[in-house]
Amino acid sequence: MAGSTYGTIFRITTWGESHGKALGVVIDGCPAGLELDESHIQKYLDRRKPGTSSITTPRKEDDTVEILSGVFEGRTTGTPISLLVRNTSQISRDYSDIATCYRPGHADYTFDQKYGFRDYRGGGRSSGRETIGRVAAGAVACRILEQLGVTVYAYTRSIGPVEADMNRFDRTTILSTPTAMPDIEANDAAMKYLEGAKRETDSVGGCMECIVEGLPAGIGDPVFEKLDANLAKAIMSIGAVKAVEIGDGCQVSSRKGSQNNDCYRTNDGHIIKQSNHAGGILGGISDGDTIIIRAHVKPTPSIFQTQQTVNTEGEEIAINIKGRHDPIIVPRAVVVMECMTALTVLDAMLLNMTAKMDSLMNFYIKKK
Amino acid sequence: MAGSTYGTIFRITTWGESHGKALGVVIDGCPAGLELDESHIQKYLDRRKPGTSSITTPRKEDDTVEILSGVFEGRTTGTPISLLVRNTSQISRDYSDIATCYRPGHADYTFDQKYGFRDYRGGGRSSGRETIGRVAAGAVACRILEQLGVTVYAYTRSIGPVEADMNRFDRTTILSTPTAMPDIEANDAAMKYLEGAKRETDSVGGCMECIVEGLPAGIGDPVFEKLDANLAKAIMSIGAVKAVEIGDGCQVSSRKGSQNNDCYRTNDGHIIKQSNHAGGILGGISDGDTIIIRAHVKPTPSIFQTQQTVNTEGEEIAINIKGRHDPIIVPRAVVVMECMTALTVLDAMLLNMTAKMDSLMNFYIKKK
Amino acid sequence: MAGSTYGTIFRITTWGESHGKALGVVIDGCPAGLELDESHIQKYLDRRKPGTSSITTPRKEDDTVEILSGVFEGRTTGTPISLLVRNTSQISRDYSDIATCYRPGHADYTFDQKYGFRDYRGGGRSSGRETIGRVAAGAVACRILEQLGVTVYAYTRSIGPVEADMNRFDRTTILSTPTAMPDIEANDAAMKYLEGAKRETDSVGGCMECIVEGLPAGIGDPVFEKLDANLAKAIMSIGAVKAVEIGDGCQVSSRKGSQNNDCYRTNDGHIIKQSNHAGGILGGISDGDTIIIRAHVKPTPSIFQTQQTVNTEGEEIAINIKGRHDPIIVPRAVVVMECMTALTVLDAMLLNMTAKMDSLMNFYIKKK
Amino acid sequence: MAGSTYGTIFRITTWGESHGKALGVVIDGCPAGLELDESHIQKYLDRRKPGTSSITTPRKEDDTVEILSGVFEGRTTGTPISLLVRNTSQISRDYSDIATCYRPGHADYTFDQKYGFRDYRGGGRSSGRETIGRVAAGAVACRILEQLGVTVYAYTRSIGPVEADMNRFDRTTILSTPTAMPDIEANDAAMKYLEGAKRETDSVGGCMECIVEGLPAGIGDPVFEKLDANLAKAIMSIGAVKAVEIGDGCQVSSRKGSQNNDCYRTNDGHIIKQSNHAGGILGGISDGDTIIIRAHVKPTPSIFQTQQTVNTEGEEIAINIKGRHDPIIVPRAVVVMECMTALTVLDAMLLNMTAKMDSLMNFYIKKK
């Protein structure tokens, strides 16, 4: 079934495999009149590009994006925007080792069970390279949100046992550290931890957090298209994510109501909350406060240790995975989280424009 | 925007407010030929019915379901099944207190921001009574899953600090204890804890867990319609849920790959995993193992203490909430989680039937 | 599969069978703040009600609508509007005659082939009573369109060989004649023709036309969600419709370009077309001119003559249909065409609000 | 809004403009295991390719398709299939003439009204080149249908006043004549008629017909996803189509029931209809008989005559269209109709696989 389309109004369809000719995305429903060129998108793709530090795979890909349609004289036309990234660095090595066996923690077995066979080269469609389409489309969503006064950014909250100290939060550090942590000291500690894990031929999990600022109240649709429900889907759909939290998340289950409720007050004539345990969402609708989402990401399943598994003949075997793999997924996934959040929030904003008769009257009667 | 429809093939549309005339659901896409009568659905509705113990609201509702269409001579016809539950115990008290102010932790403020006004009686559409439609539809989904050899059940994992001991797991206890815990000792401790909270006019959060057994491998669709992504959305869409975990969930972010990977082995000619950190899902597709989902639920926001808030005139005020409220949401939400899981899993199974050319050939060529 | 939902933003789900307990519709995505009560809907239902003239079935149904949710203090709240119509006049006659055989021109055989069996009482879901949900929802759509300055009305264009003379067009006649023709003389001729057909125990086909006035230019979305494409689907989905034309329709295939193009001119500073062969739609997008749609409707398949058919055992038999049937479908279908058109146009207008960055900026930046 | 996606299970998203870098389509939801290479698709694209006869534009495009993803070792993998066709023959002429004025019969004015501006080069997204994506995807659908025993073919039924004589029907003639007529004599007469129209610098309309053979009974979903409703949408979404008929189409409106009903009989133990006025669809569901669809196509709006129009400044002007244009749309649109029909029928077949509990039991219980 068709699972590669996301969004209702701002709707994206991604395609492509790790070792195919190319990957890309079609954005359908982008409003007309947005100034857009490749550089706006490339900036985001560069953040998920491999080969930029000691903790990313040495696979060298430029991941250069080409706009094939939907932009005319520097502005979007309202028609589908097709974005293409050619694969250039597929090493045509012998894949017979993974072609016939199931790597632990990967989707090899489940793809075979579902489809009868799979493109085994580098994980095929289940590879992290699949996120290129998400990021290219998310870059466009972020650009629109910016113009609507909404800011989305994500960062690494923790790597293994090393957590960023939010008192030292520095947004510029996110883009300048290899870990994408907003705390330079945590970055340094995490890098040491990661080097240790690499030496042990092991990999490491981590937690990432995404913030949405400037989102007006009223976004999200009861009861199934709640903003938090759609964010949970968006973020959980990123490979390796195993848990999603909104606001205080897991902590609420051991709290009392008197501790967890956010009371209201006024500020300069505006109604605001006195605290933000809710993470900016009440009843599935944004409350005007900062949106906070956290995702827990498992360690890279490809580790350079002997593992027990089974081959496609059903025989128990031991395997040693070769290839080029990051010891941690999180730093390169941060921009993916940012993009999936942006896509979700933008689509919810677009859907929100028809919530009230007043909005229709303003749009169609004034226009006449 | 239309947010009350869920599912692609097995598609439900719920409707109704806490104090309206009725609530209900239309199930569209139910396969023809399923034996069905009201009793199959009533059984599930009775589990979320209020007034059954000291920790549920004393509001007395029979929540009797009526099948209005889609069933003929005891079997589903393939056409929409309309299910209706009349509201009978709305107390027509004076709602002027909550009509003009924003209760902390509720959706009053966000509904007003979105729609310009709201049905303030008992929370309107944001009331927990909204879940009646989910449960009525989920009961039908569960019945189909049963016939396909798939079992879904949920229970309370923890209440405040009191956690069920899974070594004492007893499935029968889930339906027989007021807490819906699968461990009678934890139930007793939790009941004591809840009585204390009630005395303090406070409320309590908790954690619930849902298990899917017997699901074949291959269910779920990359990359946006992953089984875990859709489960996350389904569960996060339940009011008061603030975090969703799959398998080991949040724990994976502090793990190493060598600890977290589930190695494969064979058993009686079948390929199985040696452990289940993944919670039965790899690459968004079921792996044949048990599916495990956890949800963290915030404390009931209605507490009988004075709280600071703002009224619709923008004035800071203090409120004291009246009415009938559960001190904890979890025990009655367990069946909702079960139903949302069943709806998600069934829809994914239906979508999966077209994954392979072989399936099409078997269906259409054999038929000829 | 779920086929009873229509629309993307203004989304309706209909349910119910000819001889079930009730029929109805859930409207999801109706903007908040619309003044609405049962009388607005009843007016439309009364137009499709049987038993009002010599050319409709004598089945007596009040078809009284009840609003069950989504309206509070006389206005829509933005949450789902559930509308219910109880069946009251099902004659519990013996259906064994049609239960086991396939009536020519009906959906008996195809339902059996699809679902394995069918609710045979009065056609079940394939009965014309199914349109109650469409009309109830369409009444709400019409009410919104009215406030946006858009008028939708349909009428009978021809009955058998009798065609309305558009030079005698009188809109008031549509609602006051049994044929729903806009030309009183044609109505009289058609009534005579129909009486003749009834005497011959035969039925008659006809053509209906729908007009949309006041629709702004720019509505409809290339390339698959074109306004004419969606209108064609909407109208063809009405039982018994076998052809749909837009503007000059079938005539264009024997025309030359110089005859068929509509040249532009200005009028009071507005750009308008000098003719309207296009029927108000160019490239799938409304051009500001009157929208014109025509539908050709087959004769009622239930005729009181002996017909050859086959029973469910596969034996050739002759049948004589009993029951209460209209000799023509068109006059009661006119309001259904009007409603399906309104639903389609309104949804397209709602979707159009996000076509331009300017619209987003006006909505979200001004709001701040 | 996103209007370039079509289909629910077999879902395509097309993109590209007449004079952009490329055009293409992403097919999502194609079952795994289908043998597929470029040649299967190229065959269909060649049928809509320009420059092949005196009645098509002399624009020379190879329209060579490249498969970028979703196929591995010669078989579809179940993941999205991205198909790309580069534009190679855009003449970079001066478009200032059409950039600032509205060509009669084209979508210039409506695109400007909707989006605020448009890609004016060759019609941009509203160009007939948009159909490349439809045909590329439809070729894959046709290939699957073939394996399921379903044949789809379309042809030109009439050109201006020249109609094919179905007694001389010869399917091979469709692909070998420039008119795509199934009757060589009609082809010759039509060619003469077209040459005359060209001399008069005029264009001509026509009618095309599509046949589906071998479709099992039971396909299509009441009440809004009826097979005929979806076919009407699919075909009406093709540029220049102004009317769609199913079976006897427009003729039914002047018929009596006794003439129009198709009686049943048996043949070799199978139930069949004695006639096929219905065109193979009853109650929106296929009845096992041949599906017949007709589309009426307007004359090419680009004619080489002086026409009155208005420019973007709102001034009345006269224009003379330059460029390369077919004098008739139909012959090259025939393959588009075939492809849209195939896409619609295949998707309906895929959706139909879940109509009965029996199907689910066979699929999931047998599998175990």
Side-chain angles (χ1 to χ4, degrees):
Chain A
M1 126 87 184
S4 291
T5 293
Y6 185 74
T8 298
I9 301 286
F10 192 91
R11 186 189 283 168
I12 71 165
T13 302
T14 70
W15 55 270
E17 287 90 34
S18 172
H19 284 58
K21 287 189 175 179
L23 301 111
V25 64
V26 181
I27 305 172
D28 196 13
C30 181
L34 177 76
E35 287 183 29
L36 187 73
D37 62 39
E38 274 93 350
S39 71
H40 301 121
I41 300 162
Q42 196 61 52
K43 200 170 56 178
Y44 282 78
L45 285 173
D46 288 349
R47 286 171 60 195
R48 71 158 300 292
K49 201 164 71 169
T52 55
S53 84
S54 64
I55 57 163
T56 65
T57 162
R59 174 170 172 168
K60 262 289 177 205
E61 286 283 4
D62 277 340
D63 288 349
T64 306
V65 71
E66 187 183 8
I67 300 177
L68 294 177
S69 70
V71 177
F72 181 60
E73 298 183 339
R75 287 186 297 156
T76 57
T77 60
T79 62
I81 303 170
S82 179
L83 303 176
L84 183 86
V85 170
R86 291 264 172 194
N87 278 323
T88 58
S89 165
Q90 315 96 303
I91 295 179
S92 23
R93 70 168 179 92
D94 180 10
Y95 285 99
S96 53
D97 53 342
I98 62 170
T100 58
C101 82
Y102 299 125
R103 291 170 298 163
H106 280 282
D108 301 343
Y109 176 68
T110 54
F111 265 68
D112 262 17
Q113 287 293 306
K114 181 172 198 75
Y115 297 116
F117 78 119
R118 78 200 125 100
D119 179 348
Y120 45 74
R121 302 164 304 163
R125 181 74 177 148
S126 71
S127 160
R129 281 191 73 69
E130 162 262 313
T131 58
I132 283 178
R134 304 180 186 233
V135 171
V140 180
C142 284
R143 193 163 162 71
I144 296 173
L145 287 176
E146 235 169 64
Q147 304 205 10
L148 300 178
V150 180
T151 308
V152 182
Y153 61 94
Y155 47 81
T156 302
R157 184 69 198 257
S158 68
I159 287 180
V162 183
E163 188 155 356
D165 181 342
M166 299 309 275
N167 294 317
R168 284 194 298 259
F169 183 89
D170 176 4
R171 208 177 134 189
T172 63
T173 313
I174 302 169
L175 298 185
S176 62
T177 57
T179 59
M181 277 177 145
D183 163 11
I184 188 72
E185 292 184 33
N187 170 72
D188 298 347
M191 286 301 284
K192 262 185 213 136
Y193 182 75
L194 284 166
E195 294 303 331
K198 271 181 80 172
R199 271 193 307 274
E200 294 163 19
T201 62
D202 215 333
S203 64
V204 174
C207 175
M208 50 194 187
E209 195 162 76
C210 189
I211 300 296
V212 184
E213 288 171 352
L215 188 68
I219 308 303
D221 290 280
V223 294
F224 297 117
E225 305 298 331
K226 287 177 174 170
L227 184 56
D228 41 2
N230 278 321
L231 286 169
K233 175 174 179 169
I235 304 309
M236 194 69 95
S237 81
I238 303 171
V241 171
K242 300 301 285 184
V244 177
E245 302 180 88
I246 304 292
D248 288 355
C250 296
Q251 295 177 51
V252 304
S253 56
S254 48
R255 285 237 186 90
K256 293 207 170 153
S258 56
Q259 300 166 308
N260 195 61
N261 282 348
D262 299 308
C263 289
Y264 291 99
R265 63 180 180 89
T266 57
N267 183 24
D268 243 346
H270 289 93
I271 298 175
I272 59 170
K273 310 205 316 283
Q274 297 179 16
S275 51
N276 191 16
H277 301 302
I281 304 176
L282 279 169
I285 304 173
S286 65
D287 63 16
D289 210 332
T290 301
I291 308 285
I292 303 166
I293 318 141
R294 254 180 324 284
H296 296 264
V297 182
K298 73 178 184 183
T300 317
S302 289
I303 53 173
F304 301 102
Q305 302 181 8
T306 303
Q307 296 181 92
Q308 298 304 313
T309 190
V310 173
N311 65 18
T312 52
E313 303 295 304
E315 297 159 338
E316 301 193 341
I317 57 165
I319 55 158
N320 287 287
I321 293 172
K322 295 163 209 151
R324 304 165 294 181
H325 304 285
D326 299 359
I328 182 160
I329 291 166
V330 166
R332 289 176 58 204
V334 155
V335 68
V336 182
M337 187 184 194
E338 199 172 304
C339 285
M340 290 306 300
T341 300
L343 289 163
T344 306
V345 164
L346 175 60
D347 202 41
M349 288 179 80
L350 293 172
L351 287 166
N352 183 56
M353 289 172 65
T354 60
K356 285 193 268 194
M357 274 305 291
D358 283 358
S359 311
L360 276 64
M361 300 298 282
N362 282 341
F363 190 86
Y364 281 111
I365 299 299
K366 272 198 193 165
K367 212 181 167 181
K368 285 197 174 175
Chain B
M1 125 88 185
S4 291
T5 293
Y6 185 74
T8 298
I9 301 287
F10 192 92
R11 187 190 280 168
I12 71 166
T13 301
T14 71
W15 55 271
E17 287 90 33
S18 172
H19 283 58
K21 287 190 174 178
L23 301 110
V25 64
V26 181
I27 304 172
D28 195 12
C30 183
L34 177 77
E35 287 183 28
L36 188 73
D37 64 40
E38 274 93 349
S39 72
H40 301 122
I41 299 162
Q42 196 61 52
K43 200 170 55 177
Y44 282 79
L45 285 173
D46 288 349
R47 287 172 57 197
R48 70 159 298 294
K49 202 166 71 170
T52 55
S53 85
S54 65
I55 57 163
T56 65
T57 163
R59 174 171 172 166
K60 263 289 177 205
E61 286 284 5
D62 277 339
D63 288 347
T64 305
V65 70
E66 186 183 8
I67 299 178
L68 294 177
S69 70
V71 177
F72 180 60
E73 297 182 339
R75 286 186 297 157
T76 57
T77 60
T79 62
I81 303 169
S82 179
L83 303 176
L84 183 86
V85 170
R86 292 265 171 194
N87 277 323
T88 56
S89 165
Q90 314 98 301
I91 295 180
S92 22
R93 69 166 179 94
D94 180 9
Y95 285 99
S96 52
D97 52 342
I98 61 170
T100 58
C101 81
Y102 299 126
R103 292 170 298 163
H106 279 283
D108 301 343
Y109 175 67
T110 54
F111 266 66
D112 261 16
Q113 287 291 307
K114 182 173 197 74
Y115 298 116
F117 77 120
R118 80 200 123 97
D119 179 347
Y120 45 73
R121 301 164 304 163
R125 182 71 176 150
S126 70
S127 160
R129 280 191 74 70
E130 162 262 314
T131 59
I132 282 178
R134 304 182 186 231
V135 171
V140 180
C142 285
R143 191 162 164 70
I144 297 174
L145 287 175
E146 235 169 67
Q147 304 205 10
L148 301 177
V150 181
T151 309
V152 182
Y153 60 94
Y155 46 82
T156 302
R157 184 70 198 256
S158 68
I159 286 179
V162 184
E163 186 154 356
D165 181 342
M166 298 308 275
N167 295 317
R168 286 194 297 259
F169 183 90
D170 176 2
R171 208 176 134 188
T172 61
T173 313
I174 302 169
L175 299 184
S176 63
T177 57
T179 60
M181 277 177 146
D183 162 11
I184 189 73
E185 292 184 33
N187 169 72
D188 298 347
M191 286 301 284
K192 261 181 214 137
Y193 181 75
L194 285 165
E195 295 302 332
K198 272 181 78 171
R199 271 192 307 274
E200 295 162 18
T201 63
D202 215 333
S203 64
V204 174
C207 174
M208 51 194 187
E209 195 163 76
C210 188
I211 301 296
V212 184
E213 287 171 352
L215 187 68
I219 307 304
D221 291 279
V223 296
F224 296 118
E225 303 299 332
K226 287 177 173 167
L227 183 57
D228 40 2
N230 278 322
L231 286 169
K233 174 173 179 169
I235 304 309
M236 193 71 94
S237 80
I238 304 170
V241 172
K242 300 299 285 184
V244 177
E245 303 180 88
I246 304 291
D248 287 356
C250 296
Q251 295 179 50
V252 303
S253 56
S254 48
R255 285 237 185 91
K256 293 209 172 152
S258 56
Q259 301 166 309
N260 195 62
N261 283 348
D262 299 308
C263 288
Y264 292 98
R265 63 180 180 88
T266 57
N267 182 23
D268 243 345
H270 290 91
I271 297 174
I272 58 169
K273 309 205 317 284
Q274 297 179 18
S275 52
N276 191 15
H277 301 303
I281 304 176
L282 279 168
I285 304 173
S286 66
D287 64 16
D289 210 332
T290 302
I291 309 285
I292 303 165
I293 318 141
R294 252 181 326 283
H296 296 264
V297 183
K298 73 178 184 183
T300 316
S302 289
I303 53 174
F304 301 101
Q305 301 181 9
T306 303
Q307 295 181 92
Q308 297 304 312
T309 191
V310 173
N311 66 18
T312 52
E313 303 295 305
E315 298 159 337
E316 300 192 342
I317 57 165
I319 56 158
N320 287 288
I321 293 172
K322 296 163 208 150
R324 305 165 294 182
H325 304 284
D326 298 359
I328 182 161
I329 291 166
V330 167
R332 289 176 58 204
V334 154
V335 68
V336 183
M337 186 183 194
E338 199 172 304
C339 284
M340 289 306 299
T341 300
L343 289 163
T344 305
V345 164
L346 174 59
D347 201 40
M349 289 179 80
L350 294 172
L351 286 166
N352 182 56
M353 289 172 65
T354 61
K356 286 193 267 195
M357 275 305 293
D358 283 359
S359 311
L360 277 63
M361 300 298 283
N362 281 343
F363 189 86
Y364 280 111
I365 300 299
K366 273 197 191 163
K367 211 180 169 182
K368 283 197 176 175
Chain C
M1 126 87 184
S4 291
T5 294
Y6 186 73
T8 298
I9 301 285
F10 192 90
R11 188 189 280 167
I12 71 166
T13 302
T14 71
W15 56 270
E17 287 91 33
S18 171
H19 284 58
K21 288 189 173 177
L23 301 109
V25 64
V26 181
I27 304 171
D28 196 12
C30 182
L34 177 76
E35 285 182 30
L36 187 74
D37 63 40
E38 274 91 350
S39 71
H40 301 122
I41 300 163
Q42 195 61 51
K43 201 170 55 177
Y44 282 78
L45 285 173
D46 288 350
R47 287 172 58 198
R48 71 158 298 294
K49 201 166 72 170
T52 55
S53 85
S54 64
I55 57 162
T56 65
T57 162
R59 173 170 172 166
K60 264 288 178 206
E61 285 284 3
D62 277 338
D63 288 347
T64 306
V65 69
E66 186 183 9
I67 300 177
L68 294 177
S69 68
V71 176
F72 180 60
E73 298 182 340
R75 287 186 298 156
T76 58
T77 59
T79 63
I81 303 169
S82 180
L83 303 175
L84 182 87
V85 171
R86 291 265 172 194
N87 278 322
T88 56
S89 165
Q90 314 97 301
I91 295 179
S92 22
R93 70 167 179 93
D94 179 9
Y95 286 99
S96 52
D97 53 342
I98 61 169
T100 58
C101 82
Y102 300 126
R103 292 170 299 163
H106 279 282
D108 301 343
Y109 175 68
T110 54
F111 266 68
D112 261 17
Q113 287 292 307
K114 182 172 196 74
Y115 298 116
F117 77 118
R118 78 200 125 97
D119 179 349
Y120 44 74
R121 300 164 305 163
R125 182 72 177 149
S126 71
S127 160
R129 280 191 73 70
E130 162 262 314
T131 59
I132 283 179
R134 302 182 187 233
V135 171
V140 180
C142 284
R143 192 162 163 71
I144 296 174
L145 287 175
E146 233 169 66
Q147 305 206 8
L148 300 178
V150 181
T151 310
V152 182
Y153 61 93
Y155 46 81
T156 301
R157 184 69 198 256
S158 68
I159 287 180
V162 184
E163 188 156 356
D165 181 342
M166 299 309 276
N167 295 317
R168 286 195 296 260
F169 183 90
D170 176 3
R171 208 176 135 188
T172 62
T173 314
I174 302 169
L175 298 184
S176 62
T177 57
T179 60
M181 277 177 144
D183 162 11
I184 189 73
E185 293 184 33
N187 169 72
D188 298 347
M191 286 301 283
K192 261 181 214 138
Y193 181 76
L194 285 165
E195 294 303 332
K198 272 181 79 171
R199 272 192 307 273
E200 296 163 17
T201 61
D202 215 333
S203 64
V204 174
C207 174
M208 51 194 186
E209 195 163 76
C210 188
I211 300 296
V212 184
E213 287 171 352
L215 188 66
I219 308 304
D221 290 278
V223 296
F224 297 117
E225 303 299 331
K226 287 176 173 169
L227 184 56
D228 41 2
N230 278 322
L231 286 169
K233 175 173 179 168
I235 305 309
M236 194 70 94
S237 80
I238 303 171
V241 172
K242 299 301 285 185
V244 178
E245 303 179 89
I246 303 292
D248 288 355
C250 296
Q251 295 179 51
V252 303
S253 55
S254 48
R255 286 239 185 90
K256 294 209 170 150
S258 56
Q259 301 167 308
N260 196 61
N261 281 348
D262 299 309
C263 288
Y264 291 99
R265 63 179 179 89
T266 57
N267 182 24
D268 244 347
H270 290 92
I271 297 175
I272 59 169
K273 310 207 314 287
Q274 297 180 16
S275 51
N276 191 15
H277 300 303
I281 303 176
L282 280 167
I285 304 173
S286 65
D287 63 15
D289 210 332
T290 302
I291 308 285
I292 304 165
I293 317 141
R294 252 180 326 283
H296 295 265
V297 182
K298 72 178 186 184
T300 317
S302 288
I303 52 175
F304 301 101
Q305 302 182 9
T306 303
Q307 296 181 92
Q308 298 305 312
T309 192
V310 174
N311 65 17
T312 52
E313 303 295 305
E315 298 159 338
E316 300 192 343
I317 58 165
I319 56 158
N320 287 287
I321 293 172
K322 295 162 209 151
R324 305 164 295 180
H325 304 284
D326 299 0
I328 182 161
I329 291 165
V330 166
R332 290 176 59 205
V334 155
V335 68
V336 183
M337 186 184 195
E338 199 172 304
C339 285
M340 288 308 298
T341 300
L343 289 163
T344 305
V345 164
L346 174 60
D347 201 40
M349 289 180 80
L350 293 172
L351 285 166
N352 182 57
M353 289 172 65
T354 60
K356 286 193 266 195
M357 275 305 292
D358 283 359
S359 311
L360 277 63
M361 300 297 284
N362 282 342
F363 190 86
Y364 280 112
I365 300 298
K366 274 198 192 161
K367 212 180 170 182
K368 284 198 174 175
Chain D
M1 126 86 184
S4 291
T5 293
Y6 185 74
T8 298
I9 301 286
F10 193 90
R11 187 190 281 168
I12 71 166
T13 303
T14 71
W15 55 270
E17 286 91 33
S18 172
H19 283 57
K21 287 190 174 178
L23 302 109
V25 64
V26 180
I27 306 170
D28 196 12
C30 183
L34 177 76
E35 287 183 29
L36 187 73
D37 63 41
E38 273 92 350
S39 71
H40 301 122
I41 299 162
Q42 195 61 51
K43 201 169 55 177
Y44 282 77
L45 285 173
D46 288 349
R47 287 172 58 197
R48 71 159 298 292
K49 201 166 70 170
T52 55
S53 84
S54 64
I55 56 162
T56 65
T57 163
R59 174 170 172 168
K60 262 288 176 207
E61 286 283 5
D62 276 341
D63 288 349
T64 307
V65 70
E66 186 183 8
I67 300 177
L68 294 177
S69 69
V71 177
F72 181 60
E73 297 182 339
R75 288 186 296 157
T76 57
T77 59
T79 62
I81 303 170
S82 180
L83 302 175
L84 183 86
V85 171
R86 291 265 173 194
N87 278 323
T88 57
S89 165
Q90 316 97 302
I91 296 179
S92 22
R93 71 167 178 91
D94 180 10
Y95 286 99
S96 52
D97 53 341
I98 60 170
T100 58
C101 82
Y102 299 125
R103 291 170 299 163
H106 279 283
D108 301 343
Y109 176 67
T110 54
F111 266 68
D112 262 17
Q113 287 292 306
K114 182 172 197 75
Y115 298 116
F117 78 118
R118 78 199 125 99
D119 179 349
Y120 45 73
R121 301 164 305 163
R125 181 73 177 150
S126 71
S127 161
R129 281 191 73 68
E130 162 262 314
T131 59
I132 282 179
R134 303 181 186 232
V135 171
V140 180
C142 284
R143 193 164 163 70
I144 296 173
L145 287 175
E146 236 169 66
Q147 304 205 10
L148 301 178
V150 180
T151 309
V152 182
Y153 61 94
Y155 46 82
T156 302
R157 185 68 198 256
S158 68
I159 286 180
V162 184
E163 188 155 356
D165 181 342
M166 300 309 275
N167 295 318
R168 286 196 296 260
F169 183 89
D170 177 2
R171 206 176 136 188
T172 61
T173 313
I174 302 169
L175 298 184
S176 62
T177 56
T179 60
M181 278 178 142
D183 163 10
I184 188 73
E185 293 184 32
N187 170 72
D188 298 346
M191 286 302 284
K192 262 182 214 136
Y193 181 75
L194 285 166
E195 294 302 331
K198 271 181 78 173
R199 271 193 307 274
E200 296 163 17
T201 61
D202 214 333
S203 64
V204 175
C207 174
M208 50 194 187
E209 195 162 77
C210 189
I211 301 296
V212 184
E213 287 171 353
L215 188 67
I219 308 302
D221 290 278
V223 295
F224 297 117
E225 304 299 331
K226 287 177 172 168
L227 184 56
D228 40 3
N230 278 322
L231 286 169
K233 174 174 180 169
I235 304 309
M236 193 69 96
S237 81
I238 303 171
V241 171
K242 299 301 286 183
V244 177
E245 301 180 271
I246 303 291
D248 288 354
C250 295
Q251 295 178 51
V252 304
S253 56
S254 48
R255 286 238 184 92
K256 293 207 171 152
S258 57
Q259 301 166 307
N260 195 61
N261 282 348
D262 301 307
C263 288
Y264 291 98
R265 62 179 181 89
T266 57
N267 182 22
D268 242 346
H270 289 93
I271 298 174
I272 59 170
K273 309 205 317 282
Q274 297 180 18
S275 51
N276 191 15
H277 301 303
I281 303 176
L282 280 167
I285 303 174
S286 66
D287 63 16
D289 211 330
T290 302
I291 308 286
I292 303 165
I293 318 141
R294 252 180 327 283
H296 296 265
V297 182
K298 72 178 185 184
T300 317
S302 289
I303 52 175
F304 301 101
Q305 302 181 10
T306 303
Q307 295 181 93
Q308 298 304 312
T309 191
V310 173
N311 65 18
T312 51
E313 302 296 305
E315 298 159 338
E316 300 193 340
I317 57 165
I319 57 158
N320 287 288
I321 293 172
K322 295 163 208 150
R324 305 165 295 181
H325 304 285
D326 299 359
I328 181 161
I329 290 165
V330 166
R332 291 175 58 204
V334 155
V335 67
V336 183
M337 186 183 195
E338 198 172 304
C339 284
M340 289 307 299
T341 300
L343 289 164
T344 305
V345 165
L346 174 59
D347 202 40
M349 289 179 79
L350 294 172
L351 286 166
N352 182 56
M353 289 172 64
T354 60
K356 285 193 267 195
M357 274 305 291
D358 283 358
S359 311
L360 277 63
M361 300 298 282
N362 282 342
F363 189 86
Y364 281 112
I365 299 299
K366 273 198 191 163
K367 212 179 168 182
K368 283 195 178 177

